[in-house]
């Protein structure tokens, strides 16, 4: 029976429009001339009862000069963007070394203290950043890493949530595939690299996308760990300063920052749904 | 399941070292700071720090606001995500565009959206224009306690996606005939949601609830974006307090505040866990 679900579709359209509007507007505004945006942003903060800001849905004149400015003329934004990219890549690499292996050990091995370890990881996962940053800082101080890029990267490589996510997925793998590997004479390493990792592709893709989103939007960590090193800040922290002193190019910066995230999402969208659906998240 | 004990070690080692070095050891080691006064002799002061932090008005303000934000945001995200997931589930396997567009924001950097937020919520901005059009007074969203609204909405906008993904995954396990039966019995959308879907996805629903809560404890970004490092009293979060203490290099206060907050968090999750166990027993 083919149903049309008019009401459902209507409600979903409303939700989708509300959700996408900020993204679309950012993209549209990035195509305005810098002077136009500067003027428009200048009309903010007007407390006159009779006046409103105009509602801008399209540029007066289509222009790419915002992008030209931040990409070619002035390298400040681009440098911060590269910082963000550097942190994200290094954190993801670190997590790639640590997290799948740990999830494998926690889901496929029997060793003393395993359940206690997993319990500890869950507890760590529950703790908010305000709490975990204190031990992080104590260690970073001891190692002399405060205000270096490693302060932002190293603690992030061990995010407990992804260990939990991968472990739950690996628990659900049928044990026959590993037994088959063992019968064929594969050791634990071979099973890991040739059986478990390929089978876990959806959840790994999902975790990569989630972790990318976290790193790309990182604010708290650089703000506390890099407080004395403004050159090393990622772009995510600096938007708030752009808004304080409008240069007319901030929307191009925002669009530039959204694009990689958009590609990551589009690339991994199937993995995100499959990965979550196939893991035993209970 | 591998039984050879030693062979787990190479897989565990990198993670274990990191977790111990950056989290476990300093977490317990740091307790020493919270019991000393940080002076030259570094005298042992028992619970003086705890008393001082607990009575500090800024700590209380931060704690209160953080609790307020999580108490509003968690149910809001949970309910909205559940409803949207229900709608998406109805029209599956079609509706990929809707699905993608509601999940997308979770993967977007909210820092880049901030600028639009400042425009939308400006005193003369589109939202106030809409309010005037429907005959309501304008609100000055970016000052005082009204600032909580854009902060909360930015958080909800961003965090809806993951909750929807988890709900959608769980709803796959609800057999279609159940809905048809419910429809035959005359149950509308909300009754179906409440009596058919929800009881079948309790574990995932709890997971979403807890993940939302964890995330909403961290609310700070949104505040920082909208009102800078020294925000108005009504949006001053615990993270602001911690950051200020860090700037003063006051490790005694910072560690103490962290342990107090950790205790509160564990207490809350303990209660939630207990409720979940009870509920599952009743349903099972």
């Amino acid at each position: 029976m083919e149903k049309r679900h008019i009401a459902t579709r209507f409600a979903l359209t409303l939700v989708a429009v509300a959700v996408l509007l900020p993204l679309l507007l950012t993209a549209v505004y990035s195509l305005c001339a810098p002077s136009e945006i500067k003027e428009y942003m200048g009309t903010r903060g007007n407390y006159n009862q009779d006046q409103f800001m105009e509602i801008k849905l399209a540029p007066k004149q289509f222009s790419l000069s915002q992008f030209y400015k931040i990409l070619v003329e002035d390298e400040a934004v681009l440098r911060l963007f590269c910082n963000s990219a550097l942190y994200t890549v290094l954190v993801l690499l670190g997590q790639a070394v640590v997290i799948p292996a740990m999830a494998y050990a926690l889901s496929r091995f029997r060793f003393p203290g395993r359940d206690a370890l997993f319990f500890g990881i869950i507890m760590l996962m529950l703790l908010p950043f305000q709490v975990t940053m204190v031990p992080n800082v104590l260690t970073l101080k001891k190692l002399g890493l405060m205000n270096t890029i490693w302060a932002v990267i190293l603690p992030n490589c061990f995010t407990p949530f992804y260990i939990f996510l991968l472990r739950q997925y690996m628990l659900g793998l049928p044990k026959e595939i590993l037994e088959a590997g063992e019968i064929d004479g594969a050791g634990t390493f071979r099973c890991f690299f040739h059986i478990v990792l390929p089978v876990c592709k959806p959840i790994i893709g999902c975790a990569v996308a989630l972790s990318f989103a976290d790193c790309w939007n990182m604010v708290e960590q650089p703000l506390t760990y890099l407080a004395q090193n403004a050159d090393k800040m990622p772009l995510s922290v600096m938007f708030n300063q752009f808004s304080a002193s409008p240069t007319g190019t901030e929307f191009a910066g925002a669009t530039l920052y959204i694009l990689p995230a958009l590609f990551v999402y589009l690339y991994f969208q199937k993995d995100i749904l499959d990965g979550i659906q196939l893991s035993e998240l209970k | 399941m591998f039984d050879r004990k030693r062979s787990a070690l190479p897989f565990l080692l990198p993670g274990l070292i990191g977790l111990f070095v950056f989290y476990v050891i300093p977490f317990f080691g740091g307790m020493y700071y919270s019991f000393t006064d940080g002076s030259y002799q570094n005298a042992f002061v028992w619970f003086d720090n705890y008393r001082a932090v607990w009575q500090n008005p800024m700590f209380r303000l931060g704690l209160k606001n953080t609790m307020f934000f999580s108490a509003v945001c968690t149910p809001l995200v949970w309910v909205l995500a559940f409803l949207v997931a229900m709608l998406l589930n109805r029209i599956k396997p079609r509706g990929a565009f809707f699905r993608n567009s509601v999940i997308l924001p979770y993967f977007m950097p909210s820092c880049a959206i901030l600028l639009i937020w400042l425009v939308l919520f400006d005193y003369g901005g589109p939202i106030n224009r809409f309010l005037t059009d429907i005959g309501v007074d304008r609100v000055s969203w970016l000052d005082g306690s009204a600032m909580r609204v854009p902060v909360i909405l930015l958080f909800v906008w961003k965090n809806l996606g993951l909750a929807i993904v988890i709900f959608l995954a769980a709803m796959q396990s609800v057999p279609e005939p159940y809905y048809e039966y419910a429809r035959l019995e005359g149950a509308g959308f909300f009754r179906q949601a409440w009596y058919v879907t929800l009881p079948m996805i309790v574990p995932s629903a709890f997971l979403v609830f807890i993940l939302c809560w964890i995330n909403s404890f961290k609310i700070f970004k949104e505040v920082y974006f909208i009102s800078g490092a020294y925000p108005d009293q009504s949006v001053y979060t615990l993270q602001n307090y911690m950051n200020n203490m860090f700037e003063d290099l006051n490790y005694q206060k910072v560690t103490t505040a962290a342990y107090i907050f950790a205790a509160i968090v564990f207490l809350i999750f303990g209660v939630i866990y207990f409720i979940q166990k009870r509920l599952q027993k009743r349903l099972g």
Side-chain angles (χ1 to χ4, degrees):
Chain A
M1 189 175 65
E2 192 65 14
K3 264 187 273 106
R4 302 209 113 161
H5 295 298
I6 305 272
T8 308
R9 277 172 182 275
F10 179 71
L12 281 173
T13 310
L14 284 185
V15 174
V17 166
V19 162
L20 290 182
L21 195 68
L23 291 169
L24 287 176
L25 283 180
T26 306
V28 167
Y29 289 4
S30 74
L31 298 172
C32 299
S35 54
E36 189 186 342
I37 279 299
K38 212 168 169 178
E39 196 193 323
Y40 184 63
M41 294 303 270
T43 60
R44 290 186 305 132
N46 181 351
Y47 286 86
N48 191 326
Q49 275 295 340
D50 310 316
Q51 280 175 6
F52 285 106
M53 288 171 85
E54 74 173 299
I55 292 178
K56 194 190 249 320
L57 290 175
K60 279 202 192 95
Q61 200 178 7
F62 175 83
S63 144
L64 286 174
S65 56
Q66 279 193 47
F67 286 101
Y68 181 76
K69 271 197 173 163
I70 59 164
L71 290 175
V72 183
E73 282 182 0
D74 179 19
E75 87 280 18
V77 173
L78 210 55
R79 217 181 46 228
L80 297 169
F81 183 88
C82 290
N83 284 344
S84 290
L86 178 73
Y87 295 144
T88 307
V89 167
L90 288 177
V91 168
L92 286 176
L93 281 179
Q95 290 181 338
V97 173
V98 170
I99 286 175
M102 192 140 190
Y104 177 56
L106 284 170
S107 62
R108 289 285 158 190
F109 286 85
R110 208 174 286 137
F111 56 90
R114 185 188 64 175
D115 295 338
L117 181 61
F118 185 62
F119 181 75
I121 287 173
I122 297 271
M123 289 294 117
L124 202 57
M125 192 175 105
L126 296 182
L127 286 177
F129 177 70
Q130 294 96 314
V131 177
T132 55
M133 82 174 194
V134 172
N136 284 174
V137 167
L138 294 177
T139 300
L140 291 170
K141 276 252 154 165
K142 270 263 154 56
L143 300 175
L145 292 174
M146 275 303 258
N147 293 312
T148 67
I149 61 169
W150 303 108
V152 181
I153 295 162
L154 288 177
N156 266 335
C157 293
F158 309 98
T159 316
F161 176 61
Y162 304 120
I163 302 178
F164 168 77
L165 204 61
L166 262 66
R167 179 215 179 237
Q168 296 309 96
Y169 189 89
M170 289 180 186
L171 273 187
L173 296 179
K175 61 177 188 294
E176 286 78 15
I177 57 167
L178 282 171
E179 278 168 3
E182 269 198 297
I183 289 167
D184 288 345
T188 48
F189 277 93
R190 277 183 150 230
C191 281
F192 179 58
F193 285 108
H194 295 288
I195 301 175
V196 174
L197 283 187
V199 175
C200 285
K201 195 192 149 281
I203 196 70
I204 291 176
C206 176
V208 168
L210 290 173
S211 180
F212 179 91
D214 272 356
C215 299
W216 205 241
N217 200 21
M218 179 160 72
V219 169
E220 290 88 347
Q221 290 93 330
L223 216 54
T224 26
Y225 302 159
L226 294 174
Q228 270 123 52
N229 205 341
D231 291 348
K232 292 279 190 293
M233 289 282 182
L235 190 55
S236 45
V237 179
M238 307 305 269
F239 275 102
N240 153 318
Q241 278 151 42
F242 293 149
S243 68
S245 53
T247 53
T249 56
E250 52 271 21
F251 282 104
T255 308
L256 188 71
Y257 208 57
I258 287 172
L259 281 177
L262 188 67
F263 291 138
V264 167
Y265 174 72
L266 292 178
Y267 187 78
F268 287 110
Q269 53 173 328
K270 202 169 152 16
D271 287 342
I272 293 164
L273 289 169
D274 290 351
I276 299 279
Q277 195 185 330
L278 296 175
S279 39
E280 292 176 12
L281 292 177
K282 275 146 215 170
Chain B
M1 199 63 84
F2 297 110
D3 267 323
R4 284 156 289 170
K5 279 162 198 154
R6 217 167 309 144
S7 54
L9 211 57
F11 295 105
L12 277 177
L13 213 53
L16 270 187
I17 292 175
L19 286 175
F20 269 86
V21 168
F22 282 103
Y23 296 92
V24 180
I25 296 173
F27 186 83
F28 292 106
M31 285 186 175
Y32 167 75
Y33 286 97
S34 70
F35 288 110
T36 56
D37 68 355
S39 67
Y40 181 63
Q41 290 100 0
N42 219 1
F44 199 77
V45 292
W46 292 104
F47 288 98
D48 282 8
N49 285 323
Y50 286 87
R51 208 168 299 137
V53 168
W54 184 248
Q55 282 165 359
N56 181 308
M58 291 321 266
F59 175 78
R60 290 205 161 184
L61 182 67
L63 186 65
K64 202 184 81 195
N65 282 331
T66 298
M67 289 297 171
F68 171 80
F69 278 130
S70 54
V72 173
C73 290
T74 312
L76 203 59
V77 171
W78 193 91
V79 170
L80 281 175
F82 180 70
L83 291 179
V84 174
M86 272 298 285
L87 291 174
L88 286 170
N89 195 48
R90 276 190 143 190
I91 58 170
K92 78 180 177 190
R94 277 168 298 135
F97 170 74
F98 297 129
R99 195 179 58 225
N100 280 330
S101 50
V102 290
I103 296 170
L104 187 62
Y106 189 84
F107 297 88
M108 294 291 113
S110 50
C111 50
I113 299 305
L114 150 82
L115 297 161
I116 285 295
W117 233 248
L118 293 178
V119 172
L120 290 179
F121 285 94
D122 193 70
Y123 191 69
I127 290 190
N128 270 344
R129 193 188 273 241
F130 174 72
L131 286 183
T132 338
D133 284 348
I134 59 170
V136 185
D137 276 343
R138 288 202 234 185
V139 182
S140 165
W141 295 112
L142 300 176
D143 309 283
S145 56
M147 198 149 50
R148 286 171 172 170
V149 176
V151 168
I152 288 170
L153 286 179
L154 186 56
F155 179 84
V156 171
W157 180 84
K158 165 104 173 122
N159 284 276
L160 215 50
L162 187 60
I164 289 176
V165 173
I166 300 175
F167 272 131
L168 273 180
M171 283 174 189
Q172 300 286 327
S173 65
V174 184
E176 196 57 36
Y178 282 36
Y179 291 112
E180 270 160 33
Y181 184 68
R183 271 196 289 270
L184 282 180
E185 295 276 298
F189 174 73
F190 289 100
R191 279 171 165 259
Q192 284 175 33
W194 184 253
Y195 290 109
V196 180
T197 317
L198 200 54
M200 296 205 66
I201 59 162
V202 169
S204 299
F206 262 103
L207 181 78
V208 172
F209 191 78
I210 287 179
L211 287 180
C212 285
W213 206 315
I214 296 173
N215 271 335
S216 64
F217 269 142
K218 294 188 223 168
I219 280 198
F220 166 73
K221 263 185 208 129
E222 289 79 5
V223 173
Y224 177 75
F225 290 150
I226 292 175
S227 64
Y230 304 97
D232 185 83
Q233 290 234 326
S234 58
V235 289
Y236 184 93
T237 64
L238 213 47
Q239 183 76 42
N240 291 107
Y241 176 80
M242 304 291 266
N243 286 358
N244 293 349
M245 290 294 116
F246 260 120
E247 278 169 25
D248 303 342
L249 296 176
N250 193 334
Y251 285 96
Q252 280 66 36
K253 292 275 157 60
V254 170
T255 48
T256 312
Y259 296 131
I260 294 181
F261 193 43
I264 294 172
V265 170
F266 283 138
L267 197 73
I268 290 174
F269 285 122
V271 171
I272 292 177
Y273 182 75
F274 182 72
I275 293 174
Q276 184 204 4
K277 279 272 138 79
R278 287 285 295 272
L279 210 75
Q280 266 183 335
K281 214 183 262 171
R282 241 180 55 193
L283 286 169

